[in-house]
Amino acid sequence: MLYTIVLAVSAFLATALLHLGALRWCSGSMAAVPLAPPARVLAVTALLFAVHLAEITLYATAYALAEHGFLIGSFVGEPIMAPLDYFYFSATTYTSLGVGDIFPTRHMRFLTGVEALNGLLLIAWSASFLFGLMNRVWEWQPCVRPGR
């Protein structure tokens, strides 16, 4: 169980630091890049999408390490045949989709729960960051008042 906790905490910290770094770059260094508001929003959205994919990849690597290195669990259901299968399972867990065609056993279930909670937090963090960005840079047209 100790390996599982260390792996889960390490994956959480790594993804949180990666996300923090990306958001700090978006709100700091990226501000020096001259972009129109729609292009800036699109660039930040694309960067956050890439960061989420990297975080999913990090958890997929943790699952492979947990199964083959630490031997703390395995998967049942559809067979895990390639690295993309770990990525698929990680993506469905991170987004809380949870298809259920592949599921973990033994202590790896704890790692799966941590990933689902972590994904929820990081997706919400991205959404709130994009909301703040939209409020700051997006120009809204004034609404027409209805006649009385």
Side-chain angles (χ1 to χ4, degrees), residues 6 8 31 36 46 50 83 104 131 134 146-147:
V6 169
F131 179 78
M134 291 288 293

Side-chain angles (χ1 to χ4, degrees), residues 14-102:
T15 56
L17 289 172
L18 179 63
H19 216 78
L20 177 64
L23 294 179
R24 286 186 60 137
W25 187 82
C26 286
S27 62
S29 301
M30 187 181 183
V33 178
L35 291 171
R40 185 168 307 280
V41 170
L42 186 59
V44 169
T45 303
L47 175 70
L48 290 176
F49 183 77
V51 168
H52 284 291
L53 289 178
E55 291 159 355
I56 290 168
T57 302
L58 197 145
Y59 270 100
T61 304
Y63 288 124
L65 184 61
E67 184 177 30
H68 299 294
F70 296 131
L71 305 173
I72 59 174
S74 61
F75 292 99
V76 294
E78 290 293 318
I80 301 283
M81 305 283 285
L84 188 59
D85 295 328
Y86 288 109
F87 185 84
Y88 163 76
F89 176 76
S90 181
T92 60
T93 302
Y94 184 91
T95 60
S96 298
L97 177 62
V99 175
D101 54 343
I102 302 171

Side-chain angles (χ1 to χ4, degrees), residues 116-128:
L117 178 58
N118 193 7
L120 176 70
L121 290 171
L122 296 178
I123 291 169
W125 196 4
S126 294
S128 65

